[in-house]
Amino acid sequence: MSTYVYGITTGSHPSLPDGMEGVGEPARQVRIIKEGDLAAVVSDAPEGLRPKRRDLLAHQNVLAETGAAASVLPMRFGSVSPDDAAVAGVLAERADHFKERLEALAGKVEYNVKATHDEEAVLHRVMSENPEVRALTEANRKAGGGSYDDKLRLGEVVVAAVQHREVEDAAELQRTLEPVAAAISVGPESTGWLANLSFLVERASAEDFIAAVEEVRKGQPHLEVRLHGPLPPYSFVEPGPSEPAETHH
């Protein structure tokens, strides 16, 4: 039977609560596979697993319970291995990597920050900031609305100005929040968001990070900023997130 993997932790991790249940209906019993200095938190994998609310919560709960006692590398929902031996093989093969990541992520959580523009507010800002937009708007107004070509030109200039503002705001958001994080991972560009960033944050300084996000909201009222977390550090299990230029402790 294939094996469902919740996360990876140290071999010295305190044992899990008795009868702990994971994904599936009926819920599968959670167990530990030990290999050298590492351990994987697993259960049997249910057939045809789908990301239903009950199973997503079960996955999160296992990680929360495991992470409460010691550092854990969270696997994303739906991580399945052919069998227990295959899991042990991966633990042995990538032992150095997993140990380095466990050390790097100890005492840290992930926050995801997404931002988009408030359409009306950003148009207002572009109008006030951009001399070309102001000049074209004024010329069209004096001409009783302007010709079709004039309106088209104004539309093109406004779109370009808003796009430029998106790039600027995404960079500014990253620049503001990086100093209060231990690392950053830039998420895939998805429609509707001008920024999709995951930050690795010391659990002890999470309040500072949340306060920094609030400062962005106050200082950039044309931005709609969504903060999601604290989460297990899913985006930082693999190496490669950029370290901030300077970190304030």
Side-chain angles (χ1 to χ4, degrees):
M1 175 176 281
S2 52
T3 304
Y4 185 97
V5 185
Y6 300 88
I8 293 163
T9 185
T10 59
S12 59
H13 187 287
S15 59
L16 296 171
D18 281 342
M20 189 172 175
E21 295 184 333
V23 297
E25 284 184 58
R28 307 301 195 265
Q29 289 290 306
V30 175
R31 51 198 168 79
I32 284 187
I33 299 171
K34 290 198 176 183
E35 176 64 41
D37 297 333
L38 294 168
V41 181
V42 306
S43 67
D44 291 343
E47 291 290 322
L49 185 67
R50 295 280 177 275
K52 294 190 297 247
R53 179 173 165 76
R54 190 220 158 273
D55 287 321
L56 289 167
L57 288 174
H59 181 91
Q60 287 172 7
N61 182 52
V62 171
L63 285 172
E65 288 276 4
T66 311
S71 189
V72 62
L73 295 184
M75 297 293 118
R76 292 190 185 274
F77 179 85
S79 301
V80 174
S81 198
D83 54 29
D84 285 12
V87 175
V90 172
L91 290 181
E93 194 180 310
R94 305 192 67 202
D96 290 345
H97 164 72
F98 290 139
K99 285 177 197 169
E100 181 277 323
R101 287 285 88 195
L102 279 165
E103 215 168 284
L105 301 183
K108 298 182 180 75
V109 290
E110 179 173 327
Y111 282 91
N112 176 255
V113 177
K114 290 188 174 80
T116 186
H117 274 151
D118 176 307
E119 211 167 304
E120 204 172 310
V122 79
L123 283 174
H124 183 74
R125 182 157 185 164
V126 162
M127 294 288 281
S128 64
E129 282 178 349
N130 190 300
E132 191 181 0
V133 171
R134 278 208 308 276
L136 285 169
T137 305
E138 186 60 20
N140 284 6
R141 192 180 62 77
K142 283 181 177 164
S147 67
Y148 173 77
D149 285 347
D150 291 338
K151 286 176 182 168
L152 198 61
R153 172 74 188 132
L154 176 59
E156 286 168 353
V157 171
V158 167
V159 166
V162 168
Q163 285 173 341
H164 177 71
R165 189 76 249 168
E166 283 183 354
V167 174
E168 292 283 306
D169 286 338
E172 178 65 18
L173 183 70
Q174 189 166 330
R175 211 163 34 240
T176 306
L177 297 179
E178 261 188 331
V180 282
I184 178 174
S185 176
V186 179
E189 286 183 23
S190 56
T191 48
W193 304 109
L194 61 88
N196 177 14
L197 304 167
S198 291
F199 294 90
L200 187 65
V201 176
E202 292 277 358
R203 202 184 287 271
S205 61
E207 283 180 18
D208 295 342
F209 183 81
I210 293 165
V213 173
E214 277 309 312
E215 284 301 310
V216 171
R217 283 187 177 133
K218 282 183 200 156
Q220 310 273 10
H222 66 292
L223 278 185
E224 288 178 2
V225 181
R226 284 196 196 175
L227 176 65
H228 191 40
L231 306 163
Y234 293 110
S235 303
F236 301 91
V237 171
E238 294 301 324
S242 63
E243 301 295 327
E246 98 186 73
T247 306
H248 300 304
H249 291 293

